[in-house]
Amino acid sequence: MNVLFLIPQCPADHNWAGNRNFPSYLEPVKELLKIYADSTDKQHAYLFGASMGGSGVWRLLNECPNTFAAAFVASGMDRNFDPKTVAKTPLYVTLGGAEDAKPRADFPAIVEVVRNAGGKVMFDIIPGLNHPQTCEQSFTAERIGWVFGHERQ
C-alpha cells in the first residue's frame, strides 16, 4: 500500500495566510500535493501537524477538501475555516491541560463547531502538558493508529 502523509510547518516568523511581505505557504504545499498525490494510493493520504503546523492542517483541510483520509492536530488551531468543509475529513485534535487559558477555552468550541457540521472528531485534553510537551507527546501509537485506520471514500 502506498501512503502519503504530509507534516506542514512554516517558519516561526511567518504564518499560513501570508502577508504583504511574504506569500502564503499554502500554495507550495498545494503544488506538492498535486505532484505526489497522483503517485500514491489516493485513499491513503494523511495530514499531521503540531503548533503552527497544526494551524497548517486546519488550513489545508479547508483549502483541499476531499484530499486526505484523516488528519491529526496537536495544539494548533485556525479560526478561519468553513466547518462543513473541514468536517469532510476525520480529525484527531489534542490540547495540553497546562496550556495557556485562551487555547484551553477556544479548542473545545472549535471542535464542537466541526462536530455540529457532521465531522468525525476525536478530542483529547492531556492533563499536565504545556504547549511544547503537547506538541512532542501527542503522537502516540494509539492516536496515529486512529488516523491511519481511515481511508478516503
Side-chain angles (χ1 to χ4, degrees):
M1 168 174 66
N2 291 323
V3 173
L4 170 68
F5 62 94
L6 187 65
I7 305 170
Q9 186 63 44
C10 68
D13 59 343
H14 293 66
N15 64 50
W16 288 101
N19 59 40
R20 281 180 264 217
N21 299 318
F22 301 102
S24 167
Y25 275 82
L26 282 177
E27 294 312 313
V29 172
K30 287 162 79 173
E31 288 300 314
L32 286 171
L33 282 172
K34 286 180 191 173
I35 294 166
Y36 291 105
D38 286 340
S39 66
T40 192
D41 179 344
K42 293 190 185 302
Q43 292 178 311
H44 299 101
Y46 303 94
L47 191 55
F48 294 86
S51 192
M52 179 66 85
S55 299
V57 168
W58 288 99
R59 287 299 202 119
L60 285 164
L61 291 176
N62 195 62
E63 296 285 326
C64 306
N66 304 312
T67 300
F68 299 98
F72 185 94
V73 174
S75 195
M77 79 166 98
D78 187 273
R79 291 175 185 84
N80 300 313
F81 64 88
D82 174 35
K84 289 182 181 177
T85 301
V86 171
K88 294 177 182 180
T89 305
L91 179 62
Y92 206 123
V93 179
T94 61
L95 177 69
E99 295 208 37
D100 293 337
K102 181 80 171 127
R104 283 196 328 266
D106 290 350
F107 266 70
I110 289 170
V111 166
E112 235 6 76
V113 165
V114 177
R115 283 181 178 151
N116 290 339
K120 180 179 182 180
V121 185
M122 297 290 290
F123 179 51
D124 293 342
I125 297 177
I126 306 169
L129 296 188
N130 63 26
H131 185 75
Q133 292 168 327
T134 303
C135 293
E136 293 171 7
Q137 297 178 33
S138 289
F139 297 92
T140 63
E142 180 182 338
R143 291 184 184 112
I144 291 171
W146 184 91
V147 172
F148 284 138
H150 290 85
E151 292 185 350
R152 190 176 71 193
Q153 304 302 313

